[in-house]
Amino acid sequence: MKQVNATLLLTGVLAGITAALLVLGANAQPSFASLLYAASALPVLIVGLGWGNIAAITAVITAAVIGALAVSPLFAFAMAIFTLLPAGWLSHLANLARPASELGGPQNLMAWYPLSDILLHLCSLVALAVVVLGIMIGYGPDLVSQMVDTLLQSVQGGENPALAPDAASVAQLKRLMLTMLPVVQGGTWVLMLFSAYYVAVRIVSASGHGLRPREDIPSALRMNRNALFVFLAGILASFYGGVPALVGATVCGAFGAGFLLAGFASLHLRTRGKDWRVPALVLAYLSALLVLPAFFILVLGLSDTRRTVALTPARPADKPDNRNT
């Protein structure tokens, strides 16, 4: 037991060091910041999915301590709520399982925590993290106004002042940016963290260390039906104005990205076995960069909400502490 614990701790420490270095590298390379920040979730996800909660917790603590010592405690806190804690929590949920008989299923099968619920937790965590970050930096009309003014000054430079946008256009741009930044931040972060989760699952499965059997993503990846009500609440709040509107915009962005992922998964499933599948999927991914095509894929995800439980044969290696008892 001591040898096992020492191995888990060492694995977690190495993963935490890797995650911290990726985040610090994101600070040093602003052009790749988003990619490196998202990649910092990979080490925590890999050790959590392959070695369990002890390794994941050790990785989170190690990375946070390095971040606090290298930069500041505030930096470590931001790193934790955006990447480390969501990654650790996702790996924990993915490893939860119980006998299928407890859910009314057949004997000798294990029921794993639904992927739809994992995605629901991810959207909720990202929305909460973006709201907390907004509070930390004082996000609001004044901050956005300063950002837009700085951006316009840098773009215009020494050009003819007559070509500068009028005050009404600038004010409209500021109002749009105030709402759209939380939407884009929340949506982008859900997409990137789920991509990290997907890559981690593939790596752990290929290595043979995976506690959770690999499942068919196109058929399993859907949003929980309860997410519809949260998404609707976010839309309604965004029309309220003030702080509720900013929170609602964040919720819309995070949960909208979840439904977009579900829509793409449904599209993969519906086109399976078709001769035109590859060009259709390539066209769908490229056109999703535009608002209208992405909206149709989001509607596809909204129209197909369900909770799919993955069932696998019980293995002797299944341990009670990995079950949701």
Side-chain angles (χ1 to χ4, degrees):
M1 179 63 71
K2 291 182 179 179
Q3 181 65 31
V4 172
N5 289 339
T7 302
L8 292 177
L9 291 175
L10 179 60
T11 304
V13 168
L14 293 176
I17 294 173
T18 305
L21 291 177
L22 287 170
V23 176
L24 295 175
N27 283 348
Q29 295 289 336
S31 56
F32 299 100
S34 297
L35 184 60
L36 291 175
Y37 271 122
S40 67
L42 266 176
V44 180
L45 284 166
I46 290 173
V47 297
L49 292 170
W51 285 267
N53 290 337
I54 295 177
I57 293 171
T58 304
V60 170
I61 295 175
T62 301
V65 170
I66 293 175
L69 295 176
V71 184
S72 68
L74 190 61
F75 173 82
F77 176 74
M79 179 174 62
I81 64 171
F82 257 98
T83 57
L84 303 178
L85 293 178
W89 184 247
L90 291 184
S91 64
H92 166 70
L93 293 177
N95 289 336
L96 292 179
R98 63 171 58 182
S101 57
E102 296 182 5
L103 304 175
Q107 299 286 340
N108 300 323
L109 290 180
M110 296 294 294
W112 295 85
Y113 198 78
L115 187 59
S116 59
D117 290 3
I118 294 176
L119 184 56
L120 176 65
H121 279 258
L122 173 60
C123 295
S124 302
L125 288 172
V126 169
L128 179 61
V130 174
V131 170
V132 172
L133 178 64
I135 295 173
M136 290 171 57
I137 65 175
Y139 185 82
D142 294 338
L143 180 61
V144 173
S145 179
Q146 294 175 8
M147 293 170 57
V148 172
D149 291 339
T150 303
L151 178 62
L152 291 177
Q153 290 174 5
S154 63
V155 171
Q156 292 169 7
E159 296 179 1
N160 189 352
L163 300 177
D166 57 88
S169 299
V170 173
Q172 184 178 6
L173 176 61
K174 291 178 179 179
R175 288 194 296 268
L176 179 63
M177 291 288 288
L178 180 66
T179 304
M180 290 305 299
L181 282 178
V183 174
V184 173
Q185 180 68 41
T188 302
W189 206 242
V190 167
L191 295 177
M192 298 188 76
L193 282 182
F194 185 82
S195 299
Y197 171 80
Y198 177 77
V199 172
V201 169
R202 296 291 297 267
I203 293 174
V204 172
S205 298
S207 68
H209 283 283
L211 301 178
R212 180 190 182 106
R214 185 177 167 186
E215 56 194 307
D216 184 40
I217 297 293
S219 60
L221 182 59
R222 299 295 184 274
M223 281 290 275
N224 190 301
R225 290 185 178 91
N226 294 330
L228 285 170
F229 302 104
V230 181
F231 188 57
L232 177 60
I235 294 176
L236 295 177
S238 63
F239 290 100
Y240 191 80
V243 175
L246 298 180
V247 175
T250 303
V251 170
C252 287
F255 281 79
F259 284 111
L260 187 66
L261 286 169
F264 273 115
S266 179
L267 192 61
H268 274 263
L269 184 64
R270 293 168 187 263
T271 58
R272 181 173 287 173
K274 308 294 184 182
D275 296 335
W276 41 267
R277 182 174 192 260
V278 173
L281 290 177
V282 171
L283 181 61
Y285 277 102
L286 292 177
S287 62
L289 298 174
L290 304 175
V291 176
L292 187 59
F295 175 76
F296 285 121
I297 297 174
L298 185 144
V299 171
L300 184 61
L302 288 168
S303 64
D304 187 10
T305 56
R306 49 192 167 90
R307 194 167 183 259
T308 304
V309 179
L311 298 177
T312 59
R315 302 172 301 178
D318 289 330
K319 298 179 181 180
D321 57 348
N322 284 333
R323 300 177 183 176
N324 183 19
T325 54

